[in-house]
Amino acid sequence: MTKEKDRPLIGINMDLRGMGRGELPHSLVQSGYYDSILTAGGIPVLIPPLFREHEVAPLLDRLDGLVLTGGDDMDPRKQNVAPHQSVRVMSERREAADRLLCRMAAKRKLATLGIGLGMQEMNVEHGGGLFVHVPEDLPRAIPHRDPHGGAHRHIVIMEPGTLLEEIYGEGEIRVNSYHHQGVRKLAPMFRPAAHAPDGLLEAYEYHDMDEWWCVGVQWHPENEGHISLDTQLLEAFIQASGRGFRRLAPSKVKAA
């Protein structure tokens, strides 16, 4: 059994809310993220939206893994895409902080699990692109969220020969789904790992998982990880973090 002191430290980025008039800004994170990390064997460390490298670096130097959480949408204008009425833009500070985490995690080869928005951010930051609103950009797409905000599920199909197929098994599974955006162009450093029946990418992984354990999933394993195969994804992430997939010494990591 892993000793408590040997459990990997897993960073979890926090959201930033309350930026309106008369509101005090506050950081928060859904409890499912840190509860699922604890259950899988890690120790969660909450990361506020820090956007200066010299503030973030000492923290990442101590972490063994990173979870990039879900949230509102990235600003389409920062991707040279026209805004859309369906887009709910996250705070500018959070987007800057999250993009910095994406760059620094990749340079450190820090084991990373991107969830929902986190998957999209990592993809965009490394050269990929997004559909701004799937129902309009892909008119024949299956529903990927409940328009009333309730629970929604659909099938995803695992790509043969991927880590996700090894974790979830071959063929198809049902996952929760809450998103209206999706991956239009996959960043060159990643390979597809799962698709929805309509062809929309639902998961990716780094092209050489022996070099860097990095997985992005559009669904939310932290919501149901205690009762489904999602537990195995979270445990695989914790195991990779514990093996120390970030092998570059902090002093040798170039500035982001």
Side-chain angles (χ1 to χ4, degrees), residues 77-113:
R77 294 170 299 182
K78 290 183 170 61
Q79 304 168 54
N80 296 317
V81 177
H84 189 277
Q85 62 182 3
S86 68
V87 173
R88 182 175 177 177
V89 178
M90 72 175 76
S91 74
E92 187 173 358
R93 176 171 174 173
R94 178 184 174 179
E95 181 163 351
D98 287 359
R99 283 175 173 263
L100 178 61
L101 283 175
C102 290
R103 295 194 299 273
M104 295 180 71
K107 289 190 175 184
R108 282 167 164 70
K109 298 296 185 286
L110 181 65
T112 301
L113 176 61

Side-chain angles (χ1 to χ4, degrees), residues 9-170:
L9 298 178
I10 306 299
I12 302 173
N13 66 317
M14 303 179 73
D15 200 357
L16 183 64
R17 296 296 175 100
M19 303 296 288
R21 184 177 180 180
E23 295 181 282
L24 293 175
H26 57 277
S27 292
L28 71 163
V29 65
Q30 182 182 321
S31 61
Y33 290 107
Y34 51 79
D35 284 340
S36 62
I37 291 301
L38 280 168
T39 300
I43 298 295
V45 178
L46 302 185
I47 305 175
L50 307 175
F51 54 89
R52 296 183 178 90
E53 183 178 346
H54 71 272
E55 298 169 342
V56 179
L59 179 56
L60 294 191
D61 290 346
R62 291 166 172 80
L63 295 179
D64 301 297
L66 174 68
V67 172
L68 295 169
T69 61
D72 291 334
D73 303 316
M74 304 180 74
D75 188 343
R77 294 170 299 182
K78 290 183 170 61
Q79 304 168 54
N80 296 317
V81 177
H84 189 277
Q85 62 182 3
S86 68
V87 173
R88 182 175 177 177
V89 178
M90 72 175 76
S91 74
E92 187 173 358
R93 176 171 174 173
R94 178 184 174 179
E95 181 163 351
D98 287 359
R99 283 175 173 263
L100 178 61
L101 283 175
C102 290
R103 295 194 299 273
M104 295 180 71
K107 289 190 175 184
R108 282 167 164 70
K109 298 296 185 286
L110 181 65
T112 301
L113 176 61
I115 297 174
L117 168 66
M119 167 204 186
Q120 297 171 2
E121 290 176 319
M122 182 66 82
N123 179 60
V124 168
E125 187 59 35
H126 294 289
L130 300 179
F131 292 115
V132 174
H133 189 52
V134 170
E136 291 185 9
D137 294 332
L138 294 174
R140 297 184 179 180
I142 64 173
H144 285 269
R145 70 171 178 179
D146 183 332
H148 304 293
H152 179 71
R153 298 175 69 82
H154 66 70
I155 289 170
V156 299
I157 304 160
M158 299 299 153
E159 288 288 327
T162 59
L163 174 69
L164 283 197
E165 185 193 46
E166 182 180 332
I167 291 172
Y168 285 95
E170 64 181 26

Side-chain angles (χ1 to χ4, degrees), residues 4 9 42 45 54 82 97 127 141 187 198 203-204 206 211 222 224 239:
E4 289 299 310
L9 298 178
V45 178
H54 71 272
D198 56 16
Y204 62 69
Y206 188 62
E211 177 185 348
E222 83 285 356
E224 302 177 24
Q239 290 169 7

Side-chain angles (χ1 to χ4, degrees), residues 234-250:
L234 292 162
E235 289 176 346
F237 165 61
I238 295 300
Q239 290 169 7
S241 301
R243 289 195 297 268
F245 270 64
R246 56 181 183 101
R247 290 301 86 197
L248 288 178

